[in-house]
Amino acid sequence: MSLLQIKQLSVGWAGQGAVLRELDLTIADGERVGLVGPNGAGKSSLFHAIAGILPPMAGTIRLLGQPVRPGAFHPDLALVFQHAEDQLFCPTLTEDVAFGARNLGLPEPEVQARVAQAIRACGLDGLEERPVHRLSGGEKRRACIAGALVMRPALMLLDEPSSALDLRSRRRLIALLSQMEQALLIASHDLEMLLELCPRVVLIDQGRICADGPAREVLGNHELMAAHGQEVPHSLTPHDWVSHDHDGAVRTAP
Ligand SMILES: Nc1ncnc2c1ncn2[C@@H]1O[C@H](COP(=O)(O)OP(=O)(O)OP(=O)(O)O)[C@@H](O)[C@H]1O
Ligand SMILES: [Mg+2]
């Protein structure tokens, strides 16, 4: 049985036509999939539909064989929103991170242990009692990720998780996600991050899947990428070694 099975999904926001059209997507347990596409392609809309926030106009979404019911809580699924302000709402960081774990009905000591672990994993130690609106942009983003981690869901949907992160936080995020056993669907314009994390990449444009395959094949296809307003990432573009020092050694041109 597939972890996530989407068939012929069409969705639209109120007052608009369809923003996703007849979309089919299957994700296996533990699989890591990158989702790329231009602004407005429908990546976040797809995440809202999978999370049951945006009801389908047509088609089906099944998680672990069960239909995703709009508005219902799905313990096997966690969405990290593109905009942290859409996700964070509790008075303090600790309470916000704990929300998902409490919703699972876990005993309080288990909630506390998971919260402490997620806060540490996301490098938020020392900010536990900080009101969420007084966190920096990058800290808010990491708080959202901690709030999803705490649920230990079978599938995590991460919408632009590396945006607003500094280099060290981005690196920490990549290390954290690369160790996770859960399935990840990651929407991002950070194609180098997707290359590191995701063996498979799905390209969408105007609400339709344009490519679905091995990350290096999809992201490395110049014609395909250009046709959808994308650029082949630097690491897949042939370049001379002087301009890109891969091993950290200091060299001078011959
Ligand atoms: N809350 C909303 N209400 C109405 N329309 C929306 C809403 N969110 C997105 N849309 C519209 O749906 C379409 C798809 O947007 P979506 O946010 O899914 O794109 P995206 O691929 O996530 O883009 P980006 O890379 O900019 O995040 C766009 O035309 C957008 O204007
Ligand atoms: Mg988006």
Side-chain angles (χ1 to χ4, degrees):
M1 180 184 35
S2 308
L3 173 64
L4 178 73
Q5 190 165 52
I6 298 176
K7 282 192 181 158
Q8 291 292 296
L9 177 70
S10 296
V11 301
W13 296 93
Q16 285 185 33
V19 296
L20 295 177
R21 293 175 186 86
E22 295 158 5
L23 188 137
D24 291 318
L25 181 67
T26 301
I27 295 183
D29 203 16
E31 200 175 12
R32 292 206 292 259
V33 182
L35 183 64
V36 302
N39 292 140
K43 304 180 294 297
S44 298
S45 303
L46 175 60
F47 282 6
H48 280 72
I50 297 172
I53 301 167
L54 184 59
M57 296 159 72
T60 55
I61 305 172
R62 286 178 177 270
L63 186 69
L64 290 164
Q66 299 300 314
V68 169
R69 282 182 291 122
F73 175 66
H74 298 281
D76 293 307
L77 181 85
L79 166 61
V80 176
F81 285 73
Q82 179 168 8
H83 305 291
E85 288 73 13
D86 292 342
Q87 182 170 340
L88 304 173
F89 68 99
C90 294
T92 66
L93 172 68
T94 296
E95 286 173 68
D96 216 294
V97 174
F99 181 79
R102 292 224 167 88
N103 242 346
L104 293 174
L106 299 169
E108 194 53 26
E110 172 71 9
V111 171
Q112 298 297 334
R114 286 194 185 196
V115 168
Q117 193 187 34
I119 284 182
R120 206 175 320 116
C122 293
L124 293 165
D125 310 73
L127 298 172
E128 287 84 350
E129 299 313 313
R130 181 77 62 86
V132 289
H133 64 275
R134 297 227 172 106
L135 295 169
S136 80
E139 288 164 354
K140 282 182 186 161
R141 178 131 293 280
R142 288 190 268 146
C144 292
I145 294 165
L149 282 180
V150 87
M151 292 174 60
R152 303 192 185 155
L155 174 63
M156 252 172 90
L157 309 173
L158 295 132
D159 201 349
E160 309 281 356
S162 63
S163 71
L165 294 192
D166 65 25
L167 285 179
R168 189 172 22 187
S169 303
R170 175 180 176 277
R171 196 35 59 200
R172 189 197 278 127
L173 172 73
I174 293 173
L176 181 72
L177 296 180
S178 68
Q179 288 159 16
M180 287 181 55
E181 289 169 5
Q182 289 107 319
L184 305 174
L185 181 58
I186 309 174
S188 189
H189 302 290
D190 182 349
L191 304 185
E192 297 289 357
M193 177 187 71
L194 295 183
L195 270 175
E196 284 193 54
L197 286 172
C198 302
R200 175 181 164 201
V201 161
V202 173
L203 168 67
I204 67 170
D205 196 358
Q206 297 184 8
R208 292 184 194 277
I209 292 184
C210 306
D212 180 352
R216 297 178 73 86
E217 280 177 28
V218 175
L219 299 179
N221 183 331
H222 285 266
E223 266 179 38
L224 176 74
M225 294 293 275
H228 299 285
Q230 309 290 296
E231 247 177 27
V232 172
H234 181 67
S235 63
L236 293 183
T237 308
H239 49 271
D240 90 54
W241 59 266
V242 178
S243 65
H244 190 344
D245 185 1
H246 285 287
D247 60 9
V250 177
R251 295 194 185 121
T252 50

